[in-house]
Amino acid sequence: MAVLNPGTGGTLISTTYEGAFVEACQLLQNAESDTDNIAVNYFTGDNTVQIAGTFPMVQSVDTNGKPIFSTTEFVTATFANGGGDVKSTNLPNAVLELAQQLQVKEKSEADSSNNVQITYDTETEIITIAAQLGVAFSVNSTDGSTKVLTSAYLA
């Protein structure tokens, strides 16, 4: 389980990178009204969530010559990072940051999971995110609501 500090009073409340990524993606999909840049699809048969995102890219080079890639704030959703591990100040960049963190963590592990893929196309200025993560479903015995819990797969 890749532990995440969500901070205090922030938008995201998940305490794992896997959970925070799915939470941020779902919040972003919910916030879209004029755009359709992200799709979050849950599959109960195989207990997975599939995420597909296509975001406009903002690219620059910092004063040290280091390339910087981010996305625009294409939704009006209020987002607070809570002062924890997520440093982004808007929801689309938080999704990108969490996807990048998951990809880095996957590459550092011996089993080399490849659940998250990110493509930065500097010519078209498009960032593409594709992910498939495990989830567990439960039904609340009091009110019948369905709960989705993202499965931890990283150390």
Side-chain angles (χ1 to χ4, degrees):
M1 166 174 34
V3 176
L4 173 113
N5 172 10
T8 306
T11 302
L12 302 176
I13 58 174
S14 296
T15 57
T16 66
Y17 277 91
E18 300 95 332
F21 174 64
V22 173
E23 179 185 0
C25 289
Q26 186 63 62
L27 289 170
L28 182 57
Q29 179 176 287
N30 293 352
E32 288 185 323
S33 58
D34 296 333
T35 59
D36 191 19
N37 292 356
I38 192 163
V40 181
N41 295 296
Y42 299 93
F43 297 93
T44 58
D46 58 359
N47 292 334
T48 59
V49 57
Q50 291 179 351
I51 296 163
T54 305
F55 302 162
M57 182 192 320
V58 177
Q59 57 182 321
S60 61
V61 178
D62 73 9
T63 56
N64 296 317
K66 181 173 134 184
I68 300 171
F69 303 104
S70 62
T71 186
T72 60
E73 190 171 359
F74 55 84
V75 295
T76 57
T78 302
F79 179 79
N81 65 21
D85 292 336
V86 176
K87 304 303 181 201
S88 295
T89 58
N90 66 60
L91 191 51
N93 272 314
V95 168
L96 179 59
E97 177 184 348
L98 287 162
Q100 187 68 55
Q101 288 282 9
L102 285 173
Q103 195 171 57
V104 167
K105 290 175 186 321
E106 285 179 353
K107 292 201 172 288
S108 71
E109 294 199 346
D111 73 352
S112 298
S113 298
N114 191 20
N115 296 343
V116 179
Q117 300 86 41
I118 306 168
T119 304
Y120 297 92
D121 188 328
T122 58
E123 291 297 320
T124 62
E125 295 191 315
I126 297 291
I127 301 167
T128 304
I129 299 172
Q132 181 169 312
L133 283 75
V135 293
F137 298 94
S138 63
V139 177
N140 184 309
S141 61
T142 308
D143 65 7
S145 62
T146 303
K147 182 177 182 178
V148 180
L149 180 64
T150 306
S151 303
Y153 68 96
L154 297 167

